[in-house]
Amino acid sequence: MQMLMPEPQIYVERTLAIIKPDIINKEVEIEDIILRSGFTITQKRKLQLSPEQCSNFYVEQYGKMFFPNLTSYMSSGPLIAMVLARHQAISYWKDLLGPSSSLVARETYPDRNGLHGSANFASAEREIRFMFPEVVIEPIPVGQAAKDYLNLYTWLADWLIEHNPNTPKLRHTVIVEEP
């Protein structure tokens, strides 16, 4: 009797990572850690945000006591924004970053407080769109939806190959040799 195993589901998640202004000089080391941790850097950009752009980016923090300092700090110099991809990217990146509380982070992970990571899937999508407006973020189909999607495009690919007007026309003449 043969047991049928379900087909593996591969789901790649994306998250935003930011190297903040005060540790931008450690970019190479940080990228090395990111890559060794199984992430793929799909987008990367060095930029400097204005205080207004920082306010828009950290809109969820608006009204908190640290908000003015945060926007001032994040606009104080250049930063590097990266889109990281891997299975469960958000949770793995958050684990690498350590505690989200800046007070706890300073004591336990003093060198990692200079990095940012998306809090959840919705934040990751919003933050990636903010830093990389040209990126298209589509839901990644899984299961039957993925099969339907692929079947549609493999059919189209087959049809295009079959009906390609640029296909060279080769003459197939059979030469028969008599002994």
Side-chain angles (χ1 to χ4, degrees), residues 103-141:
L103 297 174
V104 176
R106 268 189 223 122
E107 294 174 13
T108 56
Y109 298 93
D111 58 333
R112 296 188 193 175
N113 200 27
L115 300 169
H116 166 86
S118 303
N120 54 48
F121 188 79
S123 293
E125 282 192 2
R126 183 187 67 76
E127 292 173 358
I128 290 169
R129 281 193 180 106
F130 185 92
M131 293 291 182
F132 300 93
E134 72 283 358
V135 170
V136 175
I137 301 176
E138 295 180 5
I140 300 169

Side-chain angles (χ1 to χ4, degrees), residues 19-148:
I19 302 174
K20 296 178 184 177
D22 60 338
I23 65 163
I24 200 165
N25 60 335
K26 296 185 178 185
E27 172 189 357
V28 174
E29 297 167 47
I30 293 167
E31 283 185 29
D32 184 51
I33 292 169
I34 289 169
L35 296 173
R36 282 189 289 125
S37 298
F39 290 95
T40 300
I41 301 171
T42 61
Q43 297 278 326
K44 180 179 164 186
R45 176 178 180 198
K46 185 175 184 177
L47 68 156
Q48 178 148 1
L49 298 176
S50 69
E52 182 181 356
Q53 288 171 315
C54 289
S55 295
N56 291 336
F57 183 76
Y58 286 108
V59 70
E60 295 167 343
Q61 308 298 332
Y62 183 78
K64 296 184 180 174
M65 286 189 56
F66 60 83
F67 184 76
N69 290 339
L70 176 64
T71 55
S72 173
Y73 164 61
M74 291 300 288
S75 61
S76 68
L79 52 86
I80 296 175
M82 296 175 283
V83 177
L84 307 182
R86 73 165 279 167
H87 179 70
Q88 297 180 345
I90 296 168
S91 63
Y92 276 101
W93 182 238
K94 284 169 65 173
D95 286 347
L96 271 177
L97 293 178
S100 59
S101 164
S102 60
L103 297 174
V104 176
R106 268 189 223 122
E107 294 174 13
T108 56
Y109 298 93
D111 58 333
R112 296 188 193 175
N113 200 27
L115 300 169
H116 166 86
S118 303
N120 54 48
F121 188 79
S123 293
E125 282 192 2
R126 183 187 67 76
E127 292 173 358
I128 290 169
R129 281 193 180 106
F130 185 92
M131 293 291 182
F132 300 93
E134 72 283 358
V135 170
V136 175
I137 301 176
E138 295 180 5
I140 300 169
V142 294
Q144 187 59 43
K147 289 178 186 173
D148 294 344

